[in-house]
Amino acid sequence: TVTVNRRFLVNPLIPLLSGRDLFFVLALSQHRVRLLRGWKYGLEELTVPDMPDGIREALNYDGVERGSQVHSAMRGDLGKQAAVFHGHGGERDTMKADVEQYFRIVDRALAPRLREETAPMVLVGVDYLLPIFREVADYGHIIREQVAGNPEQLNADQLHEKCWPLISHYVERQDRATTARYRQFAGTGKTSDDIRQIVPAAVQGQIDALMIDPRRHQWGSFDPQTNTVELHESASPGDDDLADYAAVHTLLCRGTVLSLAERELPTEEPVAAIFRF
């Protein structure tokens, strides 16, 4: 495709610009915690300040006199053998309590890094650990699917290979939920598949979700002074692809843009929108 215009054509890049393929992986083990950010083609490890280097550092096993003796070793995967401490007055603490404390420290370290994020997160770790982390985690976008097993020996490529199929299915479910929401609200004034209504709404930040077929163009022009759209059957000099124009402004206003095949759209038109208000 060759486009000559005053601005870039972004429809082919919508899957990248929309952030829908972005996700996080949190690899949890007793010796190491890694936060990685990825998309369809790979993962990168992120630096998290104040992240403890394993449960021993987090709970200061080596530096604090606990008044107790550990009867089961800290080797191997957590959860396969409970560590019981005999302390003052016969007090007993299970390893689960220590793991919970460890994960609360991990969660506090993650909080500043994830505060403004909404991307889905996949947990990777042994079966016993992951439910404990879910109990204490504040991040609200952890998906229910997870990867079971010790992640310590997995590099970024191997983690991506295991996690991306889960994210891909998650995104597909989200897309189906969005198109279902469009059908639910159709006819209520909260949706539209009329590009003449959609473009001004996008510019004004009214669009919550925009669904487009990037293979079909709607040529025309938009006059921001009069808030009017002029449609043309084919491209004329100075025309914009108005669906592309609406997509750009929806993204600028922090709306969601879905690039869908014609058969996946909830309408016969090449563009459909759900309004915020």
Side-chain angles (χ1 to χ4, degrees):
T1 298
V2 177
T3 301
V4 180
N5 207 332
R6 297 180 299 274
R7 64 180 187 85
F8 293 108
L9 183 72
V10 301
N11 271 350
L13 301 177
I14 289 299
L16 306 181
L17 297 174
S18 66
R20 289 169 55 251
D21 287 351
L22 293 178
F23 66 101
F24 291 104
V25 172
L26 187 64
L28 295 163
S29 78
Q30 60 174 315
H31 301 301
R32 186 182 182 192
V33 178
R34 286 178 290 166
L35 177 67
L36 302 97
R37 178 177 55 199
W39 63 310
K40 184 177 182 178
Y41 300 107
L43 280 170
E44 62 173 346
E45 187 168 346
L46 303 177
T47 299
V48 180
D50 301 321
M51 180 63 73
D53 187 19
I55 191 170
R56 282 189 172 277
E57 178 183 293
L59 304 187
N60 201 12
Y61 279 155
D62 298 324
V64 174
E65 176 57 49
R66 296 169 63 90
S68 61
Q69 181 179 5
V70 181
H71 282 274
S72 62
M74 290 295 298
R75 59 181 178 272
D77 290 337
L78 286 174
K80 292 186 176 179
Q81 183 178 12
V84 180
F85 297 91
H86 299 276
H88 305 291
E91 178 183 353
R92 297 167 62 89
D93 294 314
T94 66
M95 177 57 75
K96 181 180 178 182
D98 278 6
V99 173
E100 285 182 357
Q101 184 179 352
Y102 168 44
F103 282 162
R104 291 185 191 280
I105 294 169
V106 169
D107 189 61
R108 285 199 297 270
L110 289 171
R113 181 63 185 80
L114 298 174
R115 185 170 292 120
E116 302 298 326
E117 301 290 350
T118 59
M121 176 184 285
V122 181
L123 299 183
V124 183
V126 297
D127 285 331
Y128 176 80
L129 293 180
L130 301 187
I132 300 174
F133 183 80
R134 289 180 186 275
E135 289 178 5
V136 304
D138 279 336
Y139 191 63
H141 307 283
I142 300 173
I143 68 174
R144 64 175 182 267
E145 296 86 352
Q146 59 194 33
V147 176
N150 191 333
E152 292 179 14
Q153 303 304 318
L154 299 177
N155 61 31
D157 290 339
Q158 292 167 323
L159 285 169
H160 185 271
E161 182 179 355
K162 292 178 178 293
C163 294
W164 172 248
L166 305 183
I167 292 296
S168 179
H169 294 153
Y170 172 84
V171 170
E172 290 173 2
R173 289 199 307 272
Q174 295 297 101
D175 289 353
R176 290 194 296 270
T178 301
T179 56
R181 188 156 59 100
Y182 179 93
R183 295 186 181 97
Q184 176 186 355
F185 292 131
T188 66
K190 295 182 180 180
T191 66
S192 178
D193 60 1
D194 185 347
I195 194 67
R196 291 167 294 190
Q197 184 180 4
I198 288 172
V199 169
V203 172
Q204 294 165 15
Q206 290 181 254
I207 295 181
D208 178 52
L210 182 69
M211 294 154 277
I212 61 172
D213 177 359
R215 290 156 289 276
R216 292 190 286 169
H217 305 285
Q218 291 197 303
W219 298 107
S221 60
F222 172 64
D223 185 344
Q225 301 299 320
T226 61
N227 224 31
T228 56
V229 171
E230 183 177 329
L231 285 174
H232 301 144
E233 291 186 3
S234 58
S236 299
D239 274 1
D240 272 311
D241 179 350
L242 293 173
D244 185 89
Y245 188 88
V248 169
H249 284 277
T250 298
L251 291 172
L252 288 173
C253 295
R254 301 182 69 84
T256 299
V257 180
L258 310 184
S259 180
L260 302 176
E262 182 177 357
R263 68 181 183 279
E264 298 172 322
L265 286 167
T267 175
E268 293 182 358
E269 298 297 324
V271 59
I274 302 172
F275 299 132
R276 291 183 172 124
F277 52 89

